[in-house]
Amino acid sequence: MNLFVSLIKLYRSNGLKTPLEDFSTEILVNILQENSEIRNQFVNEILKIPGSGFSVSSQETFSFLENGRSFCRIDMVFRNEESICFLENKVHSGEGFGQLSNYCKVLDGLKQHEKTYLRFCTKFYQDKAHITEHEFKQFRWCNIANFLSSWSDQELIRIFLEFLEINKMGNSTDFTLQEILALENFNPALSKMDAYLDKLRPRFHSMFGESKMAKNMAQIKIHSRHVFWKDYLFGTHYSELGVGFKFTTYPHLTVWIWTPNENPKIDDFKKLLADFNDGFNDGSTCLELSKPMSDFISSETMEEDIENWFIDAFNKIKKLADLHPGLDWHIPVQSV
């Protein structure tokens, strides 16, 4: 598990609550405090402020005697001899009532600085067009992630980037040319996968019984796959046999069996895995047969070859079931 994820879970397990933005802010501040090169580039490239020799602090308070308040606490403050910048960070929450306007008023009073700036960082875009003072600008956590990726060889930054990715703060919503081209071909590709699955389903049903198929977009979005499957494949606890197309890392054909560790038949299943000499298995809960779709590109009989690969995989699974009857398989006795 990621170090920062573990720490925030430990913190919360002791009955303490900390907003994700506070935790993320403190890590970012530490990274910037430890490296003046990264800090000054961050100010220039992310905050869009010229100059050098900047310092950074977190959770700094400034007097503010309006709206029933006595102070404002700023997430991050950057300053050098000429400039000061307030940076407010948000993840899942929005701006507090009048928060940025209050910060503008605080900056209005900092006459000792020649230039004053206000910045706002969020996970998702938030419209703040009404804020025009102090050269206000917005950016997102994904911009920070992209900036820090130039130093991903440093362990602390690498772990922080992983933490941002886990919390879906490192993903840009900007489309790349490759993604736009993929969208152009999405429906034709989905239709072709449907055609293969429709052809395979009768053979699957005759060998293993009835199958299920979830809503396409749910499987594609959550599991990066387009499949059908049979559940309760063996025993009385949950298990599944799945078939279809998977898009993690690279597009590939897949046939798999999975069951959780809690399955009372797990020891028998592990014996089956020990006899499984083809494809991949984790030695505990999963086996998978897979084939990169790129392997079929040069084939003159692609449709037949892909269909035959799936049928061969079905036969291998059926053979394993025949060799391990103690798992109490819920499949037809006769196969076609």
Side-chain angles (χ1 to χ4, degrees):
M1 180 179 287
N2 179 272
L3 172 63
F4 296 136
V5 173
S6 299
L7 287 174
I8 200 168
K9 284 188 174 181
L10 177 63
Y11 191 85
R12 289 169 174 169
S13 71
N14 289 322
L16 303 171
K17 294 183 178 179
T18 181
L20 185 57
E21 55 253 32
D22 287 351
F23 194 79
S24 305
T25 294
E26 292 305 319
I27 300 169
L28 177 60
V29 168
N30 182 267
I31 289 172
L32 298 179
Q33 286 177 336
E34 292 297 313
N35 191 308
S36 60
E37 176 192 3
I38 298 177
R39 181 168 65 249
N40 284 313
Q41 281 191 234
F42 182 90
V43 173
N44 300 156
E45 298 178 21
I46 299 297
L47 302 184
K48 306 296 184 184
I49 298 173
S52 60
F54 287 91
S55 64
V56 60
S57 61
S58 66
Q59 306 303 323
E60 193 171 337
T61 58
F62 293 81
S63 176
F64 181 71
L65 303 177
E66 292 187 28
N67 303 326
R69 302 176 63 92
S70 59
F71 67 90
C72 285
R73 179 176 285 112
I74 314 299
D75 283 342
M76 297 177 70
V77 179
F78 298 81
R79 53 164 65 86
N80 65 5
E81 291 184 358
E82 298 84 25
S83 308
I84 186 168
C85 175
F86 289 178
L87 170 59
E88 178 65 19
N89 296 322
K90 299 293 183 184
V91 179
H92 297 301
S93 61
E95 175 196 0
F97 180 75
Q99 189 174 24
L100 293 176
S101 296
N102 291 344
Y103 292 177
C104 287
K105 293 177 182 178
V106 174
L107 286 168
D108 288 340
L110 300 179
K111 303 299 185 182
Q112 68 271 34
H113 294 280
E114 181 180 340
K115 297 289 290 182
T116 55
Y117 303 91
L118 179 61
R119 300 293 184 261
F120 190 47
C121 177
T122 55
K123 179 178 179 181
F124 305 108
Y125 175 75
Q126 297 183 25
D127 184 7
K128 300 299 171 186
H130 63 287
I131 304 293
T132 58
E133 302 95 324
H134 303 287
E135 298 187 29
F136 176 73
K137 286 183 172 61
Q138 299 175 244
F139 55 93
R140 296 170 51 214
W141 280 102
C142 63
N143 301 121
I144 295 176
N146 184 59
F147 169 80
L148 290 176
S149 65
S150 297
W151 294 273
S152 58
D153 57 328
Q154 298 184 25
E155 185 174 15
L156 179 62
I157 293 177
R158 178 186 61 77
I159 298 173
F160 184 49
L161 289 172
E162 184 182 275
F163 173 79
L164 294 178
E165 190 73 22
I166 289 170
N167 286 284
K168 302 186 185 304
M169 298 161 65
N171 299 322
S172 173
T173 53
D174 295 339
F175 286 107
T176 65
L177 176 59
Q178 185 177 9
E179 288 166 340
I180 292 172
L181 292 173
L183 287 174
E184 288 182 4
N185 295 287
F186 178 76
N187 276 339
L190 189 62
S191 295
K192 290 177 181 178
M193 288 187 287
D194 280 334
Y196 278 107
L197 297 181
D198 288 343
K199 289 177 67 177
L200 291 167
R201 199 173 283 108
R203 176 66 68 99
F204 182 93
H205 290 172
S206 69
M207 296 180 71
F208 304 107
E210 292 299 312
S211 64
K212 294 182 176 181
M213 191 167 187
K215 294 181 180 178
N216 293 340
M217 291 311 300
Q219 284 290 312
I220 290 172
K221 182 178 178 180
I222 298 171
H223 300 292
S224 296
R225 67 191 187 191
H226 187 49
V227 298
F228 64 80
W229 70 93
K230 172 188 174 66
D231 54 17
Y232 293 94
L233 180 66
F234 59 82
T236 57
H237 206 78
Y238 186 81
S239 57
E240 65 186 25
L241 169 63
V243 176
F245 300 84
K246 202 168 183 180
F247 322 121
T248 52
T249 309
Y250 57 89
H252 58 275
L253 315 181
T254 181
V255 174
W256 79 91
I257 298 177
W258 178 84
T259 191
N261 265 314
E262 298 77 19
N263 193 324
K265 294 279 188 179
I266 194 66
D267 289 337
D268 291 327
F269 186 63
K270 288 179 179 179
K271 291 177 183 177
L272 177 148
L273 295 180
D275 291 339
F276 183 65
N277 298 316
D278 195 357
F280 161 82
N281 77 82
D282 64 1
S284 178
T285 64
C286 178
L287 70 82
E288 181 182 20
L289 292 161
S290 66
K291 180 78 167 175
M293 293 178 69
S294 58
D295 286 0
F296 299 95
I297 288 295
S298 60
S299 172
E300 295 182 358
T301 56
M302 179 187 290
E303 182 175 354
E304 181 181 348
D305 292 345
I306 289 177
E307 190 174 348
N308 286 338
W309 183 88
F310 276 113
I311 292 171
D312 183 57
F314 292 173
N315 289 331
K316 290 176 180 178
I317 298 296
K318 184 63 168 63
K319 183 177 179 181
L320 277 175
D322 292 340
L323 290 172
H324 295 272
L327 279 167
D328 187 22
W329 300 87
H330 306 306
I331 60 179
V333 175
Q334 298 296 323
S335 63
V336 177

